[in-house]
Amino acid sequence: MLAALLVIVLLLGVAVALVQQRRIDGIGRQRDNAEAERDAAKQERDALSGDAKVVTRYVDRVQYVREAGATIVKEVPVYVTPEADRACLVPAGFVRVHDAAAENRPLAGPAGDPDAPAAGVALSTVASTVTDNYTTCHAIREQLIGLQDAVRQRQASGRD
């Protein structure tokens, strides 16, 4: 009888030990999952932080480019005076070619008289328009550089 009781106590002890081991294993898995989630959250936070830095950097660059372009446009009357506007008539052919190039489309329609003066287009207007076009080009360039930097950072950190 004592031997049977001892066997029962031993079996209960083994059962309790197995149950405890399962609980410990379950808690260990929960801890591992929580650590993995924490690490993933840190990586995502760091990625967003890096992306924010890239975006801020390229927004600052674009703002600088736009301000520089606006400054140049303000200086057009200094460099292209009213006398230069009167002395240099902008030909209609130039306006057609410039506008087609700016819109990235082929020239359409007959050329007409390409040397005829374009109505209401002064040399200073051409200078302002070209400056605006280059400003836009440089702003897009800075945006592209920012996006390339973001892609490089993502690839370097293994988040691509």
Side-chain angles (χ1 to χ4, degrees):
M1 175 88 141
L2 187 58
L5 189 57
L6 193 54
V7 170
I8 290 174
V9 169
L10 183 63
L11 288 177
L12 282 175
V14 170
V16 168
L18 289 174
V19 168
Q20 288 292 44
Q21 187 59 44
R22 284 189 182 154
R23 286 184 62 213
I24 290 170
D25 290 346
I27 291 169
R29 280 192 300 276
Q30 288 175 346
R31 184 198 65 227
D32 293 345
N33 289 341
E35 287 175 354
E37 288 176 13
R38 181 198 65 212
D39 292 344
K42 281 182 180 180
Q43 286 178 344
E44 186 174 346
R45 180 201 62 206
D46 293 345
L48 292 174
S49 174
D51 289 350
K53 288 176 186 173
V54 169
V55 168
T56 300
R57 199 172 331 132
Y58 100 75
V59 167
D60 289 346
R61 287 180 189 167
V62 168
Q63 175 135 5
Y64 172 80
V65 166
R66 296 224 182 267
E67 288 171 0
T71 300
I72 294 169
V73 168
K74 286 180 190 175
E75 295 294 319
V76 166
V78 173
Y79 290 90
V80 184
T81 63
E83 293 80 26
D85 278 341
R86 285 191 295 276
C88 180
L89 299 176
V90 178
F94 174 85
V95 173
R96 284 191 202 107
V97 169
H98 175 271
D99 291 349
E103 295 173 4
N104 195 30
R105 62 169 168 77
L107 289 163
D113 183 1
D115 294 326
V121 179
L123 187 59
S124 57
T125 302
V126 171
S128 294
T129 301
V130 169
T131 300
D132 285 339
N133 290 346
Y134 277 119
T135 298
T136 299
C137 176
H138 291 300
I140 292 169
R141 175 183 176 268
E142 292 302 329
Q143 289 175 343
L144 179 58
I145 289 169
L147 292 171
Q148 288 172 331
D149 287 347
V151 169
R152 280 189 209 101
Q153 284 181 2
R154 284 184 169 269
Q155 288 173 338
S157 66
R159 297 179 284 123
D160 53 347

